[in-house]
Amino acid sequence: MELIEKLGILADSAKYDVACTSCGVERQAVKGQLGSTSTSGICHSFSADGRCVSLLKVLYSNACSYDCAYCVNRRSNDTPRATFTPQELAELTIGFYRRNYIEGLFLSSGVLGTPDRTTELMCEAIRLLRQEYGFRGYIHAKAIPGTSDELLVRLGVLVDRLSLNIEFPSAQSLSVFAPEKAAHHILPPMRFVRDGIKANYQDKRLSAVRRTRFVPAGQSTQMVIGASPESDYQILRLSAELYRKLEMQRVFFSAYIPVNDDPLLAGVREAPLLREHRLYQADWLMRFYQFDVDEIIDAEHPFLDPLIDPKANWALNHMEQFPVEVNKADYELLLRVPGIGVRGAKRILVARRERRLDFDDLRRLNITLKRARLFVTCKGQMDAGVLFDPLTIHKSLTESARRRLRRQDDGQLSLFEGEAADSATAGNLPMGDSASGAVGGADSAAAIVTAAAATTAAAATTADRAAGTATVAAAAATADRAAGTATVAAAAATADRAAGTATVAAKASPVHPATLPFSARFAPVPSFADSDALACIN
């Protein structure tokens, strides 16, 4: 096979790895306009000083020996296969670098035989780059779960950043969708990398330069969102623990995209990108805005509101702390004002040493006043035309989001249709309720349960008795219109009750999970403290 053919296959196979900032977008060049983007080939990351770095994003091999249900490169898929040699990958990377196409490499791989064998080949390719070609650019590599500690050390001293994908938020989901993988193949290597990074900095006998030779840019991970039933609350709690205990530099979220026709994923639709976006916003609040996960979301409202960003949602639920006087508030409180970011808060602190600030000054400081003006005062006064009323502020913040959702015609971000959009989003839902929780988790709470109910007529008859007049499918589809008070969450709860007998039967007999409705394939998702996948993080 020609090298260019291998590159086309392996670059395309890498497009679902999202541990970079530009992934999953396809936009062709247009005459008279600038730029284009692709779902595969070149991706981007950011250096410590803020520079955007272009990376060649490619797999070493897509000939994977695992059969994960969600993965396009699973062994049972009839797809073109290709594998680089270490020399080919090194020469390709150097050739692109010399042409100024890239500044670094993002390398992942399917499991070529065994994890150790795959890692050995990746190490050899990167060794050629570093030692034979003298390449000192940025390299991000994905480690293979189950790799030995010795090979992790060899790989870690060659790359800048190392990733081990946790894949799913619980061990139960991991065992269902990726039976060859297990939490004990993922979390211990993460701890090993964490301890190796610490050891470099703590070893005072080494120089400052040599002390950072093992994974100097830290480690990251990725999990699939929407294929399994975990809520946003559980996902963010896990992310918080990964940051706190395993000292992750970044946790990436990948909205589930159906790429396989697998019975395990029957009834699971594509996860809304809006859910992924809200998770990233919440993740940003934890990393840079000093928010605790329990301030952003809680077990009673386990899904993020799709119509409003998590920071604004927190502000609407804590109106007793607003409005904030920008000339007096401390840095921590300024960070919690919607529309004021880290840089904006620092600029305000510096500028108000010279004078008392007004709204014109905030505009000159590049504060996002469209949102901030609703929550702040300058010299004791609200901005002109602002009414400090929670319902009015909520409507103002969600109006543009409702318009965007109604304009969606591809189904990806469409959460409401027709008149239901106005009634469901006009402020009638209690704030902080995450749009009842059911809308924010449409892919895992409403859509999945609806799909499960649609496939089990027997369960639907039980739902008829519980709901009174509608089947589970009808209740989920028309919850907002039928009675004015029934929500999708109620329909989901009814479906869970209706599917109870099927779940009990599944536990009593050795039925293959693929023959069950999606919601019945899982036991109740454990709490954070009880989850075996999470309890072993230390």
Side-chain angles (χ1 to χ4, degrees):
M1 183 181 294
E2 295 291 333
L3 183 59
I4 191 66
E5 293 181 69
K6 289 185 179 181
L7 176 62
I9 293 171
L10 294 172
D12 185 67
S13 298
K15 65 186 177 184
Y16 298 108
D17 254 317
V18 298
C20 294
T21 58
S22 63
C23 298
V25 177
E26 184 82 32
R27 189 180 298 111
Q28 299 298 324
V30 176
K31 185 177 180 180
Q33 300 182 19
L34 301 176
S36 66
T37 186
S38 174
T39 55
S40 61
I42 304 295
C43 65
H44 301 87
S45 185
F46 288 92
S47 62
D49 58 2
R51 293 180 299 108
C52 183
V53 181
S54 299
L55 306 176
L56 171 62
K57 181 184 177 188
V58 71
L59 297 185
Y60 184 88
S61 174
N62 70 339
C64 190
S65 60
Y66 288 177
D67 201 34
C68 303
Y70 59 93
C71 182
V72 69
N73 298 311
R74 60 186 297 187
R75 67 171 179 266
S76 58
N77 270 4
D78 184 14
T79 187
R81 305 290 181 172
T83 301
F84 285 122
T85 66
Q87 190 68 39
E88 285 175 338
L89 182 58
E91 290 179 355
L92 185 67
T93 304
I94 291 300
F96 277 18
Y97 181 81
R98 286 172 175 165
R99 292 176 177 84
N100 203 31
Y101 296 163
I102 61 170
E103 298 173 80
L105 173 67
F106 176 94
L107 182 62
S108 185
S109 182
V111 182
L112 192 60
T114 65
D116 280 356
R117 174 58 178 160
T118 309
T119 305
E120 285 177 350
L121 293 169
M122 292 172 65
C123 286
E124 178 60 17
I126 299 173
R127 187 197 66 79
L128 288 173
L129 277 172
R130 293 297 199 201
Q131 298 179 8
E132 300 296 327
Y133 291 97
F135 181 71
R136 295 181 60 79
Y138 180 84
I139 297 179
H140 181 166
K142 284 289 185 76
I144 309 298
T147 300
S148 66
D149 291 348
E150 294 77 9
L151 285 171
L152 282 178
V153 171
R154 190 189 307 179
L155 185 60
V157 298
L158 291 169
V159 302
D160 296 284
R161 174 167 288 185
L162 199 60
S163 296
L164 284 119
N165 287 354
I166 203 166
E167 305 294 7
F168 286 95
S170 73
Q172 184 184 5
S173 295
L174 186 66
S175 65
V176 170
F177 295 113
E180 289 98 343
K181 299 179 181 178
H184 66 269
H185 290 153
I186 299 171
L187 295 172
M190 286 182 173
R191 291 194 292 269
F192 180 81
V193 173
R194 174 202 63 189
D195 295 342
I197 295 171
K198 284 183 176 180
N200 276 325
Y201 285 97
Q202 292 170 354
D203 191 345
K204 303 301 182 182
R205 295 171 297 175
L206 298 177
S207 68
V209 174
R210 293 190 62 198
R211 203 179 302 152
T212 60
R213 72 188 187 278
F214 182 79
V215 196
Q219 64 172 322
S220 59
T221 191
Q222 171 187 333
M223 64 181 82
V224 179
I225 304 302
S228 56
E230 290 84 12
S231 66
D232 295 343
Y233 175 69
Q234 291 170 300
I235 292 167
L236 290 173
R237 288 294 300 270
L238 172 58
S239 298
E241 290 300 295
L242 289 171
Y243 287 127
R244 184 171 69 90
K245 294 184 177 180
L246 294 179
E247 301 180 12
M248 287 286 161
Q249 289 295 311
R250 189 77 185 270
V251 176
F252 291 90
F253 308 107
S254 177
Y256 169 69
I257 300 174
V259 292
N260 297 323
D261 188 16
D262 190 285
L264 284 173
L265 293 166
V268 184
R269 68 172 188 173
E270 186 169 348
L273 290 176
L274 186 56
R275 183 184 181 191
E276 177 187 299
H277 178 59
R278 294 297 184 222
L279 285 168
Y280 274 121
Q281 288 178 319
D283 178 80
W284 205 262
L285 293 180
M286 293 190 296
R287 294 169 61 211
F288 298 109
Y289 287 78
Q290 303 176 13
F291 276 79
D292 184 77
V293 64
D294 291 318
E295 295 180 287
I296 301 170
I297 193 168
D298 56 48
E300 294 181 3
H301 311 107
F303 291 95
L304 297 169
D305 193 329
L307 295 182
I308 190 168
D309 70 85
K311 189 178 182 183
N313 190 66
W314 176 87
L316 286 168
N317 284 297
H318 295 82
M319 293 297 285
E320 71 281 357
Q321 299 193 30
F322 298 96
V324 170
E325 172 55 53
V326 296
N327 289 293
K328 296 180 180 179
D330 58 22
Y331 176 71
E332 288 74 18
L333 185 54
L334 287 174
L335 279 181
R336 298 194 168 223
V337 177
I340 299 180
V342 174
R343 293 182 181 178
K346 292 178 179 178
R347 288 171 184 161
I348 289 173
L349 293 179
V350 172
R352 74 187 190 188
R353 295 172 188 167
E354 305 296 329
R355 54 180 293 179
R356 297 187 69 199
L357 305 179
D358 55 28
F359 286 99
D360 288 333
D361 294 323
L362 295 183
R363 290 185 180 91
R364 286 190 284 270
L365 293 173
N366 291 325
I367 304 300
T368 308
L369 278 184
K370 183 178 181 180
R371 282 176 292 167
R373 64 194 289 268
L374 304 173
F375 296 95
V376 301
T377 60
C378 291
K379 302 177 182 178
Q381 299 294 322
M382 298 290 294
D383 196 15
V386 173
L387 177 64
F388 188 70
D389 172 69
L391 291 178
T392 303
I393 293 174
H394 183 270
K395 183 177 180 179
S396 175
L397 289 170
T398 59
E399 184 175 3
S400 60
R402 291 197 298 268
R403 286 198 302 267
R404 285 195 303 271
L405 293 176
R406 284 197 292 266
R407 285 199 300 267
Q408 298 296 325
D409 57 3
D410 60 357
Q412 177 59 42
L413 298 181
S414 180
L415 303 180
F416 303 97
E417 295 181 2
E419 296 179 358
D422 295 326
S423 62
T425 61
N428 298 326
L429 297 177
M431 291 177 298
D433 200 27
S434 301
S436 263
V439 176
D443 52 332
S444 59
I448 291 175
V449 175
T450 302
T455 62
T456 53
T461 59
T462 305
D464 285 339
R465 294 194 297 271
T469 60
T471 64
V472 176
T478 61
D480 290 321
R481 296 192 291 270
T485 57
T487 63
V488 179
T494 304
D496 284 338
R497 290 194 298 273
T501 56
T503 304
V504 172
K507 291 181 179 179
S509 59
V511 180
H512 190 276
T515 66
L516 299 175
F518 185 83
S519 60
R521 296 175 202 163
F522 296 85
V525 178
S527 66
F528 180 78
D530 298 331
S531 174
D532 54 347
L534 311 179
C536 54
I537 298 178
N538 57 36

